[in-house]
Amino acid sequence: MPRSDYIAHVDVNCFYASAERAFDPSLEGKPLVVLSNNDGCAVTRSSEAKALGIEMGTPWFKLQHLAAAAIPVERRLVARSSNYELYGDISQRVMILLGRYSAWVEIYSCDEAFLGVNGSLADMAELGRTIKNTVRRNCHFQKLTARRCRCCRGCAAGF
């Protein structure tokens, strides 16, 4: 199989929500929004919150009814204020891990990076699985929980 140069893209899913869940595993499976500290609007949403129709930028005062005590706890919206120290710590962990797989890592944002890699398409698929599992296994706080930061990854031919 021919070898080629590729650019791999890694993005941690719902990064702030994933970080909050890594820190507090009781949030797993619950609708979760992280609010900006300056205006109280949703800056990230878990997949469960997205399923409720919550849009990015929605202010908390429009979401409070989804957190009411009358709603069953498994469907009750949970809100957290942004914790940039936590997100910075997990971001640093992710980027250090990505550096294991490439000498060229272009950090795009706190949860996203591009890596220069080479090999066959089969090698790239295996590398993608390895990176995903490594991030999931190593970016957490509670050693006894199953919750980890999850990421998606993809590769494209380099130019």
Side-chain angles (χ1 to χ4, degrees), residues 31 33 52 54 60-73 75-79:
V33 293
L52 293 175
I54 296 171
W60 176 244
F61 74 87
K62 290 186 177 181
L63 300 174
Q64 286 177 337
H65 69 280
L66 297 171
I71 297 174
V73 70
R75 292 193 334 245
R76 189 179 307 153
L77 182 64
V78 177

Short mmCIF file of all heavy atoms in Angstrom, two decimals, residues 31 33 52 54 60-73 75-79:
data_model
loop_
_atom_site.label_atom_id
_atom_site.label_comp_id
_atom_site.label_asym_id
_atom_site.label_seq_id
_atom_site.Cartn_x
_atom_site.Cartn_y
_atom_site.Cartn_z
N PRO A 31 -28.33 16.34 30.68
CA PRO A 31 -28.19 17.53 29.84
C PRO A 31 -27.35 18.58 30.58
O PRO A 31 -27.63 18.89 31.74
CB PRO A 31 -29.62 18.02 29.64
CG PRO A 31 -30.50 16.91 30.10
CD PRO A 31 -29.70 16.08 31.06
N VAL A 33 -25.12 22.36 30.22
CA VAL A 33 -24.64 23.54 29.51
C VAL A 33 -23.57 24.19 30.37
O VAL A 33 -23.63 24.15 31.60
CB VAL A 33 -25.76 24.57 29.20
CG1 VAL A 33 -26.75 24.03 28.20
CG2 VAL A 33 -26.46 25.04 30.46
N LEU A 52 -32.35 18.50 23.58
CA LEU A 52 -33.47 19.28 24.12
C LEU A 52 -33.77 20.51 23.27
O LEU A 52 -34.70 21.26 23.56
CB LEU A 52 -33.17 19.72 25.56
CG LEU A 52 -33.10 18.62 26.62
CD1 LEU A 52 -32.67 19.21 27.96
CD2 LEU A 52 -34.44 17.91 26.73
N ILE A 54 -31.58 23.05 22.85
CA ILE A 54 -30.87 24.22 23.38
C ILE A 54 -29.85 24.69 22.34
O ILE A 54 -29.05 23.90 21.86
CB ILE A 54 -30.19 23.89 24.72
CG1 ILE A 54 -31.25 23.55 25.76
CG2 ILE A 54 -29.31 25.05 25.18
CD1 ILE A 54 -30.70 23.02 27.05
N TRP A 60 -29.16 32.02 30.18
CA TRP A 60 -29.65 31.13 31.24
C TRP A 60 -31.08 31.42 31.63
O TRP A 60 -31.87 30.51 31.89
CB TRP A 60 -28.73 31.20 32.46
CG TRP A 60 -29.23 30.40 33.62
CD1 TRP A 60 -29.62 30.87 34.83
CD2 TRP A 60 -29.42 28.98 33.67
NE1 TRP A 60 -30.04 29.82 35.63
CE2 TRP A 60 -29.92 28.65 34.93
CE3 TRP A 60 -29.21 27.95 32.75
CZ2 TRP A 60 -30.22 27.35 35.32
CZ3 TRP A 60 -29.51 26.65 33.14
CH2 TRP A 60 -30.01 26.36 34.40
N PHE A 61 -31.48 32.69 31.65
CA PHE A 61 -32.84 33.00 32.09
C PHE A 61 -33.88 32.34 31.18
O PHE A 61 -35.00 32.10 31.61
CB PHE A 61 -33.06 34.51 32.23
CG PHE A 61 -33.20 35.26 30.93
CD1 PHE A 61 -34.43 35.39 30.30
CD2 PHE A 61 -32.10 35.87 30.35
CE1 PHE A 61 -34.56 36.09 29.12
CE2 PHE A 61 -32.22 36.58 29.17
CZ PHE A 61 -33.45 36.69 28.54
N LYS A 62 -33.51 32.02 29.94
CA LYS A 62 -34.44 31.32 29.04
C LYS A 62 -34.35 29.80 29.19
O LYS A 62 -35.17 29.08 28.63
CB LYS A 62 -34.15 31.70 27.59
CG LYS A 62 -34.53 33.13 27.25
CD LYS A 62 -34.36 33.39 25.78
CE LYS A 62 -34.81 34.79 25.43
NZ LYS A 62 -34.66 35.05 23.98
N LEU A 63 -33.38 29.32 29.94
CA LEU A 63 -33.18 27.88 30.12
C LEU A 63 -33.59 27.39 31.50
O LEU A 63 -33.73 26.19 31.71
CB LEU A 63 -31.70 27.53 29.89
CG LEU A 63 -31.14 27.84 28.51
CD1 LEU A 63 -29.64 27.58 28.49
CD2 LEU A 63 -31.86 27.02 27.45
N GLN A 64 -33.76 28.29 32.45
CA GLN A 64 -34.00 27.90 33.85
C GLN A 64 -35.18 26.95 34.01
O GLN A 64 -35.15 26.07 34.87
CB GLN A 64 -34.21 29.13 34.72
CG GLN A 64 -32.94 29.88 34.98
CD GLN A 64 -33.18 31.14 35.80
OE1 GLN A 64 -34.27 31.69 35.81
NE2 GLN A 64 -32.13 31.60 36.47
N HIS A 65 -36.21 27.08 33.19
CA HIS A 65 -37.38 26.21 33.33
C HIS A 65 -37.01 24.75 33.05
O HIS A 65 -37.68 23.84 33.54
CB HIS A 65 -38.51 26.67 32.39
CG HIS A 65 -38.21 26.46 30.94
ND1 HIS A 65 -37.42 27.33 30.22
CD2 HIS A 65 -38.60 25.48 30.09
CE1 HIS A 65 -37.33 26.90 28.98
NE2 HIS A 65 -38.03 25.78 28.87
N LEU A 66 -35.92 24.50 32.31
CA LEU A 66 -35.47 23.13 32.03
C LEU A 66 -34.70 22.52 33.21
O LEU A 66 -34.38 21.34 33.19
CB LEU A 66 -34.60 23.10 30.78
CG LEU A 66 -35.29 23.52 29.49
CD1 LEU A 66 -34.28 23.66 28.36
CD2 LEU A 66 -36.38 22.53 29.13
N ALA A 67 -34.42 23.34 34.22
CA ALA A 67 -33.71 22.88 35.41
C ALA A 67 -34.64 22.78 36.62
O ALA A 67 -34.17 22.57 37.74
CB ALA A 67 -32.55 23.82 35.71
N ALA A 68 -35.93 22.93 36.40
CA ALA A 68 -36.90 22.93 37.50
C ALA A 68 -36.94 21.58 38.21
O ALA A 68 -36.75 20.52 37.61
CB ALA A 68 -38.29 23.26 36.96
N ALA A 69 -37.21 21.64 39.50
CA ALA A 69 -37.26 20.43 40.33
C ALA A 69 -38.33 19.46 39.88
O ALA A 69 -38.23 18.25 40.15
CB ALA A 69 -37.47 20.82 41.79
N ALA A 70 -39.35 19.92 39.18
CA ALA A 70 -40.44 19.05 38.74
C ALA A 70 -40.01 18.12 37.60
O ALA A 70 -40.66 17.11 37.34
CB ALA A 70 -41.63 19.89 38.27
N ILE A 71 -38.91 18.42 36.95
CA ILE A 71 -38.41 17.60 35.84
C ILE A 71 -37.63 16.42 36.43
O ILE A 71 -36.82 16.61 37.34
CB ILE A 71 -37.51 18.44 34.90
CG1 ILE A 71 -38.36 19.54 34.26
CG2 ILE A 71 -36.85 17.57 33.84
CD1 ILE A 71 -37.57 20.51 33.43
N PRO A 72 -37.84 15.21 35.92
CA PRO A 72 -37.07 14.05 36.42
C PRO A 72 -35.57 14.34 36.34
O PRO A 72 -35.09 14.93 35.37
CB PRO A 72 -37.47 12.91 35.47
CG PRO A 72 -38.79 13.32 34.91
CD PRO A 72 -38.77 14.83 34.86
N VAL A 73 -34.85 13.91 37.34
CA VAL A 73 -33.44 14.27 37.48
C VAL A 73 -32.60 13.87 36.26
O VAL A 73 -31.68 14.59 35.89
CB VAL A 73 -32.85 13.70 38.80
CG1 VAL A 73 -32.72 12.19 38.73
CG2 VAL A 73 -31.53 14.35 39.12
N ARG A 75 -33.40 14.00 33.21
CA ARG A 75 -33.65 14.91 32.09
C ARG A 75 -33.53 16.38 32.49
O ARG A 75 -33.71 17.27 31.67
CB ARG A 75 -35.04 14.65 31.52
CG ARG A 75 -35.14 13.31 30.84
CD ARG A 75 -36.40 13.16 29.99
NE ARG A 75 -37.51 13.99 30.41
CZ ARG A 75 -38.67 13.52 30.88
NH1 ARG A 75 -38.86 12.23 31.00
NH2 ARG A 75 -39.64 14.33 31.24
N ARG A 76 -33.20 16.64 33.75
CA ARG A 76 -33.11 18.00 34.26
C ARG A 76 -31.80 18.65 33.81
O ARG A 76 -30.72 18.08 33.96
CB ARG A 76 -33.17 17.98 35.79
CG ARG A 76 -33.29 19.34 36.42
CD ARG A 76 -33.38 19.26 37.93
NE ARG A 76 -34.46 18.36 38.34
CZ ARG A 76 -34.47 17.69 39.49
NH1 ARG A 76 -33.47 17.81 40.34
NH2 ARG A 76 -35.46 16.89 39.78
N LEU A 77 -31.90 19.83 33.25
CA LEU A 77 -30.73 20.55 32.76
C LEU A 77 -29.83 20.97 33.92
O LEU A 77 -30.31 21.45 34.95
CB LEU A 77 -31.17 21.79 31.98
CG LEU A 77 -30.07 22.64 31.37
CD1 LEU A 77 -29.29 21.84 30.32
CD2 LEU A 77 -30.65 23.91 30.77
N VAL A 78 -28.53 20.77 33.74
CA VAL A 78 -27.53 21.19 34.71
C VAL A 78 -26.69 22.28 34.05
O VAL A 78 -26.32 22.17 32.88
CB VAL A 78 -26.62 20.01 35.12
CG1 VAL A 78 -25.53 20.46 36.07
CG2 VAL A 78 -27.44 18.88 35.72
N ALA A 79 -26.41 23.33 34.79
CA ALA A 79 -25.58 24.42 34.28
C ALA A 79 -24.34 24.57 35.14
O ALA A 79 -24.39 24.40 36.36
CB ALA A 79 -26.37 25.72 34.26
#
